[in-house]
Amino acid sequence: MKGMIRAVIFDLDGTLLAMKLKVKEAKKKLIQRLREIGVNIDRIDLKISTEEIISKTIKEYGFSRDYLMKLVDEVYIPYELEAAEVAELREGIKDVLMELRAMGFKLAVASNSAKPGVYLALENTSIKGFFDVIVTRSDVSRMKPNGAIIAEALKRLNVKPSEAIYIGDTTYDILAAREVGVKSMAVSGGAHSINLILNSEPDILVKDVKEIPKALKRLASQGKE
């Protein structure tokens, strides 16, 4: 059936996992490192995403993306590994994954975190085996809100954008999904408030991750009309 959802792609921190990543601390340290290499931090709004900080730095200072992404890894990976060591699942998410599997969906993770932390977190919470595909920033050159991570997941899953939905907890997740033509589902209780998420206009909003299977069933029934 045209447009039928075949794959469900998840963000990691704040969506599958309770937020443990010290995002603000990591970003502050990155800003400090950028200052050390001559970047005028006063011209950068710290509220913007890491991807936007990197893109702005490239545009204004001419650093290569490879160089800056290595700097991001150097700063962020210790924080990501620290979070992975104490990772906890959002309540009910394992049952959700089991139900989605039973419903026949392909499952994937597409995360802005690097591979070491993502894999450690998934292994420590015993859910790695649910996923057909795992994509991290280590696999692409750009991060959300750019859609590269989701596009790579689609490629590896061998599904069209119209056949997938991306589930996340931030505006960056919604914007990244929209960029590659994938439907978006936002879950509350993560990094961004409901009001902030609604400003980015997700296709679906659920207040509890346990509502995900029902929301997907409703979506499927709409597609049959």
Side-chain angles (χ1 to χ4, degrees):
M1 186 180 297
K2 186 178 180 181
M4 185 174 71
I5 301 300
R6 296 172 53 214
V8 182
I9 309 171
F10 286 90
D11 168 56
L12 184 66
D13 292 294
T15 303
L16 291 170
L17 308 180
M19 280 298 297
K20 299 286 186 179
L21 184 61
K22 296 174 182 174
V23 178
K24 290 181 180 178
E25 285 186 27
K27 192 180 286 186
K28 284 180 182 177
K29 190 164 185 179
L30 175 65
I31 294 301
Q32 179 186 328
R33 292 300 307 275
L34 289 173
R35 185 180 286 115
E36 290 169 2
I37 62 173
V39 175
N40 181 0
I41 300 306
D42 295 336
R43 295 171 62 188
I44 294 179
D45 182 352
L46 302 189
K47 293 179 182 178
I48 66 175
S49 68
T50 301
E51 171 59 34
E52 290 167 292
I53 290 173
I54 296 303
S55 295
K56 189 176 177 68
T57 302
I58 292 169
K59 184 177 180 181
E60 295 189 8
Y61 292 88
F63 291 108
S64 75
R65 177 166 284 273
D66 282 349
Y67 171 74
L68 292 176
M69 291 303 288
K70 284 176 183 175
L71 190 63
V72 169
D73 279 348
E74 187 180 315
V75 173
Y76 281 24
I77 285 177
Y79 287 98
E80 292 163 359
L81 289 173
E82 179 187 42
E85 289 289 358
V86 293
E88 293 179 1
L89 294 175
R90 288 193 63 165
E91 186 179 350
I93 199 67
K94 187 172 280 190
D95 289 337
V96 167
L97 294 173
M98 290 174 66
E99 187 168 352
L100 296 184
R101 269 290 189 205
M103 291 166 69
F105 290 111
K106 292 183 177 183
L107 301 180
V109 171
S111 172
N112 265 357
S113 293
K115 184 175 180 178
V118 171
Y119 276 67
L120 181 60
L122 293 173
E123 286 164 0
N124 282 352
T125 54
S126 302
I127 59 170
K128 183 169 175 281
F130 283 105
F131 299 103
D132 302 289
V133 165
I134 300 168
V135 183
T136 73
R137 77 161 179 275
S138 307
D139 301 302
V140 295
S141 62
R142 302 194 66 167
M143 296 173 285
K144 298 175 291 185
N146 182 277
I149 289 174
I150 299 175
E152 181 64 23
L154 294 173
K155 180 181 175 184
R156 295 186 188 186
L157 288 165
N158 193 29
V159 297
K160 300 172 184 175
S162 61
E163 297 173 325
I165 189 165
Y166 188 65
I167 302 178
D169 65 306
T170 71
T171 60
Y172 307 144
D173 298 316
I174 310 310
L175 295 172
R178 184 175 300 132
E179 183 175 291
V180 293
V182 169
K183 279 187 170 60
S184 60
M185 183 187 298
V187 294
S188 65
H192 286 177
S193 68
I194 288 182
N195 287 340
L196 193 56
I197 289 171
L198 286 174
N199 286 338
S200 61
E201 299 181 341
D203 294 297
I204 302 169
L205 173 68
V206 296
K207 294 186 178 180
D208 190 318
V209 294
K210 296 172 189 174
E211 298 173 21
I212 291 172
K214 285 184 180 178
L216 289 172
K217 286 174 184 175
R218 284 196 299 271
L219 188 64
S221 65
Q222 290 167 10
K224 293 175 184 176
E225 292 174 0

